[in-house]
Amino acid sequence: MKVFISYSTDDISLVKQIADQIRPYAEVFYWDKSQEPGKHAWNQIFGWIDDCDAVVTVITDKTVARGLSVGQEVGHAKARQKIIFPLVAQDVPATELGCLHEVTYLRIERNNPIPAMQAVAQSVAKVAEQIKEQYFWIAVIGIIVLVVLLWKSK
């Protein structure tokens, strides 16, 4: 499973903690870790979103100040029908969350972010397990089809 984290660069220490919680269940991509010098920034970001299974969005007061970027990332993820797990700081008013229209979010406490981070990590783990199960059944069906085709060719 692959997860992209959308955030304000001012929140990088929080993002690193979130990535650490998610990493046991998924490959994690975010700007400060995954950027490739010389490549167009938005092409990289949209590529990560396109290739991922889910997007974790971290929205703090710093994110709201640069909301256009995060809003574009969330909009791109919605257009690609990605699962979105938003973490929203307690001090961010709901009126600033237009990009999350119809998306359920968790409030994250600045003094104690661990419960919200763990909740997102558990959600990522569930999705990762569902993906594994889907691949298992696709493999089983593929083997059955192959056996039937081989049997019919004799």
Side-chain angles (χ1 to χ4, degrees):
M1 176 171 180
K2 295 180 181 180
V3 173
F4 172 74
I5 302 176
S6 173
Y7 63 101
S8 167
T9 54
D10 292 333
D11 292 319
I12 189 62
S13 63
L14 179 62
V15 168
K16 287 178 180 180
Q17 291 176 51
I18 293 166
D20 288 345
Q21 292 284 325
I22 295 171
R23 202 167 282 114
Y25 313 106
E27 187 176 0
V28 179
F29 297 87
Y30 57 92
W31 181 252
D32 284 82
K33 170 190 160 285
S34 308
Q35 64 179 296
E36 295 179 40
K39 290 195 174 183
H40 186 268
W42 282 110
N43 288 345
Q44 288 180 75
I45 291 167
F46 290 153
W48 295 326
I49 293 170
D50 291 345
D51 291 342
C52 77
D53 301 292
V55 173
V56 172
T57 303
V58 180
I59 300 179
T60 66
D61 57 336
K62 295 168 180 119
T63 312
V64 171
R66 70 171 277 270
L68 182 59
S69 297
V70 171
Q72 287 179 326
E73 293 164 4
V74 170
H76 191 84
K78 281 181 167 182
R80 302 301 188 274
Q81 299 180 341
K82 302 296 179 175
I83 299 166
I84 302 171
F85 298 115
L87 292 170
V88 179
Q90 287 183 315
D91 57 347
V92 175
T95 56
E96 296 290 339
L97 301 175
C99 67
L100 295 179
H101 179 69
E102 296 186 352
V103 179
T104 304
Y105 57 88
L106 290 173
R107 288 288 182 175
I108 188 167
E109 295 180 33
R110 193 168 293 279
N111 295 334
N112 186 16
I114 299 297
M117 289 190 295
Q118 289 175 336
V120 166
Q122 289 171 354
S123 294
V124 168
K126 286 179 188 177
V127 172
E129 191 59 37
Q130 291 169 350
I131 290 170
K132 283 181 191 177
E133 189 174 313
Q134 289 172 351
Y135 284 135
F136 170 79
W137 287 112
I138 289 170
V140 168
I141 291 168
I143 291 169
I144 291 169
V145 168
L146 182 62
V147 169
V148 169
L149 290 173
L150 289 172
W151 181 72
K152 281 187 170 186
S153 69
K154 289 186 177 191

